[in-house]
Amino acid sequence: MRFTVLIPARLASTRLPDKPLADIGGKPMVVRVAEQARVSAAQRVAVATDSERIADACRAHGVEAVLTAASHPSGTDRLAEAAVALGLAGDDLVVNVQGDEPLIEPSLIDAVARVLDAHPGAAMGTAAHPIQSVADFVNPNVVKVVTDASGLALTFSRAPLPWWRDGFAAGVDRLPDDPAPLRHVGIYSYRCDFLRAFPALAQAPIERTEALEQLRALWHGHRIAVHVSAAAPAPGVDTPEDLERVRALFGSARA
């Protein structure tokens, strides 16, 4: 199995300005992400960005960077342009690793590539893990996924899924146990020909309602394979508090 990791990165962030360039232990965060990706089985790791500052910072640390248009509405569109610029073949596998995940496990990157390789009929792969609390189950910011018997996604939703008709008659005070609810993790793998075609697909009505881009693929009849891990991955960096937590971890590691 051969695959390329692409990391979309842009400077715009309302809660944490210049987030990809935030210093973590002497290196920009996006470089830390690329270093984690390099420990995976990927044959190539590159950052796709619309910023010369990000590209220069990556190259200064020996990380490949591809400049893309500033007009892309999503990271997926940015990766589609980068895949063309890098000359990736249509049957190549690409793993999308977000640029704010400096603690991402290389084994998770491998697993998301592997699950797509194992499902020839799927256009995309992703990850999930069991939900452990009722609070997460009912939280609309926690995206749920339901799979079929072969591990392909049936749907994604911000609503509590699966809905336990009899068990929830008096209210949602416990989790369904068969099937156990799964929390979707925002890492994706793609077949490169599908990645390049994705931006041209019409946005799905359910995608607009749920604000979940992956529903576009399902709505157009494409399949998404899901790797289910036993535990949740380390959280990413969204806020200044998250950044300080990660900085402390890297400081402890150096000590």
Side-chain angles (χ1 to χ4, degrees):
M1 181 187 66
R2 296 176 58 84
F3 66 94
T4 296
V5 169
L6 294 182
I7 304 168
R10 62 191 184 98
L11 287 178
S13 173
T14 55
R15 289 183 289 182
L16 196 58
D18 293 355
K19 182 165 66 169
L21 297 177
D23 183 270
I24 297 178
K27 295 180 181 179
M29 177 160 52
V30 69
V31 170
R32 292 293 187 184
V33 176
E35 289 177 339
Q36 287 294 96
R38 282 176 168 175
V39 182
S40 76
Q43 281 67 52
R44 191 175 189 179
V45 175
V47 172
T49 181
D50 60 354
S51 165
E52 289 277 8
R53 289 175 59 202
I54 292 176
D56 289 345
C58 289
R59 291 165 184 154
H61 289 87
V63 174
E64 185 176 10
V66 180
L67 276 171
T68 58
S71 57
H72 291 306
S74 74
T76 310
D77 297 85
R78 191 173 310 286
L79 295 195
E81 181 185 349
V84 174
L86 293 172
L88 299 183
D91 58 352
D92 285 349
L93 301 186
V94 173
V95 177
N96 175 356
V97 174
Q98 296 302 312
D100 57 4
E101 301 279 353
L103 301 178
I104 191 167
E105 289 289 340
S107 59
L108 179 61
I109 297 173
D110 292 340
V112 173
R114 193 178 303 115
V115 76
L116 182 56
D117 188 56
H119 288 80
M124 294 175 58
T126 192
H129 65 84
I131 291 175
Q132 302 293 339
S133 71
V134 171
D136 280 347
F137 184 62
V138 299
N139 185 348
N141 294 316
V142 174
V143 178
K144 295 84 183 176
V145 58
V146 178
T147 66
D148 66 12
S150 65
L152 295 171
L154 291 171
T155 193
F156 298 82
S157 181
R158 298 181 182 278
L161 288 179
W163 184 261
W164 189 7
R165 187 196 63 175
D166 297 334
F168 294 159
V172 182
D173 58 1
R174 52 181 171 156
L175 296 173
D177 56 10
D178 188 20
L182 296 175
R183 178 178 188 163
H184 176 236
V185 178
I187 180 173
Y188 296 97
S189 54
Y190 306 87
R191 300 191 191 283
C192 195
D193 54 1
F194 175 75
L195 174 61
R196 292 197 297 252
F198 185 86
L201 295 177
Q203 192 178 48
I206 188 63
E207 172 192 357
R208 291 194 295 270
T209 299
E210 292 258 17
L212 297 175
E213 189 182 56
Q214 65 270 32
L215 289 171
R216 187 186 314 179
L218 296 183
W219 194 76
H220 284 279
H222 301 282
R223 305 306 305 271
I224 302 175
V226 182
H227 163 74
V228 179
S229 59
V237 175
D238 290 320
T239 66
E241 293 75 20
D242 293 337
L243 179 59
E244 291 309 312
R245 170 181 50 80
V246 172
R247 281 173 169 166
L249 289 173
F250 273 86
S252 298
R254 287 188 299 164

